[in-house]
Amino acid sequence: DTEVTQTPKHLVMGMTNKKSLKCEQHMGHRAMYWYKQKAKKPPELMFVYSYEKLSINESVPSRFSPECPNSSLLNLHLHALQPEDSALYLCASSPQLGYEQYFGPGTRLTVT
Amino acid sequence: SQELEQSPQSLIVQEGKNLTINCTSSKTLYGLYWYKQKYGEGLIFLMMLQKGGEEKSHEKITAKLDEKKQQSSLHITASQPSHAGIYLCGADIYAGGTSYGKLTFGQGTILTVHP
């Protein structure tokens, strides 16, 4: 089973809202990732967690706050977003760093 | 940073035709990944190549990494409408022989297969 699940599938939020994206995998993977993908562009890495510790933050604005409560779960907390943050947010996991990454279906976020 | 150039940007073929997509790196590739994406959906892992000269196949798709580890190709034999989508190559960033897990992607190749 190589499934990564993401909820919600779609999210519309105002600029003053607080919301969270959730990602889950039950493959025993110890690395998890958040990517942002704008239309007609490739995914861009935001955060990397390895063994539940943040290992990479690609200079992401503080209005995006990642959290890894356990080895199976990855959250992305959103607060005071801007319309330009509207994008497809993809979660991925891999057995460890340096292994193939398996992606979830994504959350389509619209900021109004 | 690792820069990947994919070609062509888009490709339209008739069902049954063979096709090749190329991915060229400005630096040595230590981990090269091929993914397929349907618009607005997640990425589907196809293959990973690490060794110079390596070649892997799955069903009708073959991926190769050249000896110098700076160029990879993805070849589809006897294309079908189900092969349509966006193909992305991704490179892993290594430092001191260690992966950071940071994938940098090429701009993608949009493949259309006409029945």
Side-chain angles (χ1 to χ4, degrees):
Chain A
D1 183 13
T2 56
E3 187 179 28
V4 176
T5 59
Q6 288 187 244
T7 55
K9 191 173 177 62
H10 300 278
L11 179 62
V12 179
M13 60 185 291
M15 289 189 285
T16 58
N17 291 159
K18 283 186 180 181
K19 297 285 184 182
S20 296
L21 308 185
K22 179 181 172 181
C23 173
E24 201 160 4
Q25 56 87 15
H26 295 287
M27 296 178 278
H29 289 176
R30 303 313 301 268
M32 296 187 77
Y33 314 78
W34 280 115
Y35 288 84
K36 174 182 177 180
Q37 186 176 27
K38 301 284 276 184
K40 298 185 179 180
K41 296 289 186 182
E44 291 182 345
L45 183 69
M46 299 174 72
F47 302 103
V48 178
Y49 272 84
S50 179
Y51 288 85
E52 294 125 70
K53 291 185 179 178
L54 183 65
S55 63
I56 292 181
N57 176 339
E58 287 289 284
S59 302
V60 179
S62 60
R63 57 185 183 269
F64 294 91
S65 175
E67 178 196 20
C68 190
N70 59 58
S71 60
S72 301
L73 194 55
L74 185 66
N75 297 319
L76 186 63
H77 302 297
L78 314 172
H79 173 56
L81 294 192
Q82 303 297 311
E84 59 265 28
D85 295 323
S86 298
L88 182 67
Y89 287 84
L90 295 162
C91 173
S93 72
S94 65
Q96 294 184 45
L97 298 181
Y99 286 73
E100 66 275 12
Q101 296 180 21
Y102 294 92
F103 284 76
T107 293
R108 172 71 61 188
L109 174 67
T110 303
V111 182
T112 60
Chain B
S1 63
Q2 187 94 37
E3 291 187 0
L4 295 177
E5 192 170 317
Q6 274 187 248
S7 63
Q9 289 185 329
S10 65
L11 196 52
I12 302 173
V13 300
Q14 205 67 32
E15 183 177 0
K17 295 295 185 184
N18 303 336
L19 62 104
T20 299
I21 298 168
N22 293 302
C23 178
T24 303
S25 171
S26 58
K27 298 182 180 179
T28 302
L29 295 161
Y30 291 99
L32 189 284
Y33 301 78
W34 283 101
Y35 286 89
K36 178 185 174 184
Q37 184 178 30
K38 294 279 192 179
Y39 180 74
E41 299 180 8
L43 279 65
I44 299 168
F45 171 71
L46 296 175
M47 275 169 276
M48 174 186 176
L49 304 165
Q50 287 184 302
K51 301 175 182 176
E54 188 174 12
E55 179 176 323
K56 289 186 177 178
S57 294
H58 178 67
E59 296 181 342
K60 294 184 179 181
I61 300 177
T62 300
K64 301 178 185 179
L65 183 60
D66 74 342
E67 289 289 344
K68 292 185 178 179
K69 295 172 63 175
Q70 286 194 281
Q71 187 166 358
S72 179
S73 62
L74 187 81
H75 184 77
I76 299 177
T77 303
S79 58
Q80 300 169 352
S82 60
H83 287 127
I86 304 167
Y87 288 82
L88 291 153
C89 63
D92 198 348
I93 305 296
Y94 272 66
T98 301
S99 167
Y100 284 93
K102 176 179 176 178
L103 281 191
T104 302
F105 289 94
Q107 290 300 306
T109 296
I110 302 171
L111 173 63
T112 303
V113 181
H114 287 309

